[in-house]
Amino acid sequence: VSGTGGSASIAIGNSALRNSGYIRNTAIGDRALMTADATAQQNTAIGYYALKDLTSGDNKVAVGNQTLESTTTGSYNTVVGDLAGYNQSTPSSNTLIGRYAGGLITTGSKNTLLGRFNGNQGGLDIRTSSNNIVLSDGDGNVRWRSDSNSDIFTGLFSSTGATEGFYYQPQYGITYSSRSGTSTKNHRYFVNAN
């Protein structure tokens, strides 16, 4: 272990777990968990600069090059992928899997992202938003999303604001929507009885 005073911890790499007082942390890689202090407990950082700026917070798993590098506080994040969660400063309870997954999210919490969506692509910006579930393809194009209102969208988002796909909103049911610019065409297929 690079630092002093830590217990039940493992550090392998230049400046990994450099500070003191940490408990039950695992840091493997150059500068992994470099700034962790006594309030950073039960974290796992595997990869170059993984959780490098973390000072406090517990129960994080960061696997990959620069995963959660800018995170300073927050707990219960699971992040896997090159540069995944890179810009998050104070996230909690995010699950991000994929290269660049959630890399531009700054403060959003309780998000689940699978694929290469970085948090602000193709007309969808969730950088400071919470409680989203996003499934994207290998280029980061959103294919399915559920937001904090339990609204569900499946289809295509685009950087021009055009969308096409199906929406489910609890108060309205299922709607097929095609939007281009300010023009929207909606076709409701099912209206919820509530």
Side-chain angles (χ1 to χ4, degrees):
V1 175
S2 301
T4 59
S7 66
S9 294
I10 296 171
I12 301 171
N14 179 44
S15 295
L17 274 174
R18 182 178 69 184
N19 287 342
S20 62
Y22 43 79
I23 300 170
R24 293 182 298 277
N25 288 298
T26 302
I28 300 173
D30 184 35
R31 293 178 180 84
L33 278 166
M34 183 173 82
T35 59
D37 65 19
T39 58
Q41 300 180 17
Q42 300 173 162
N43 296 293
T44 301
I46 301 172
Y48 173 79
Y49 278 41
L51 282 168
K52 179 183 78 72
D53 294 336
L54 183 71
T55 54
S56 62
D58 53 7
N59 296 292
K60 286 184 184 51
V61 175
V63 179
N65 175 52
Q66 296 178 279
T67 51
L68 292 174
E69 178 182 345
S70 300
T71 299
T72 56
T73 62
S75 299
Y76 308 107
N77 294 289
T78 302
V79 180
V80 178
D82 180 44
L83 295 164
Y86 172 80
N87 282 316
Q88 293 191 19
S89 57
T90 58
S92 289
S93 303
N94 284 323
T95 302
L96 312 171
I97 300 174
R99 187 168 196 232
Y100 299 119
L104 297 180
I105 293 175
T106 54
T107 57
S109 292
K110 300 176 185 170
N111 293 300
T112 300
L113 277 62
L114 178 60
R116 198 171 175 171
F117 177 68
N118 65 22
N120 185 23
Q121 269 178 274
L124 179 60
D125 183 355
I126 62 167
R127 290 176 291 180
T128 59
S129 179
S130 296
N131 297 302
N132 294 282
I133 302 170
V134 177
L135 175 63
S136 66
D137 65 19
D139 291 325
N141 300 309
V142 176
R143 300 301 184 192
W144 188 92
R145 176 190 182 213
S146 176
D147 64 19
S148 60
N149 297 320
S150 298
D151 295 343
I152 297 172
F153 176 80
T154 182
L156 296 173
F157 289 86
S158 79
S159 58
T160 62
T163 59
E164 183 174 359
F166 288 92
Y167 289 92
Y168 170 76
Q169 296 173 300
Q171 70 273 33
Y172 300 119
I174 298 173
T175 302
Y176 173 78
S177 180
S178 176
R179 183 180 74 195
S180 180
T182 59
S183 175
T184 301
K185 295 179 183 177
N186 289 321
H187 305 281
R188 195 158 287 144
Y189 290 99
F190 171 77
V191 178
N192 194 339
N194 293 331

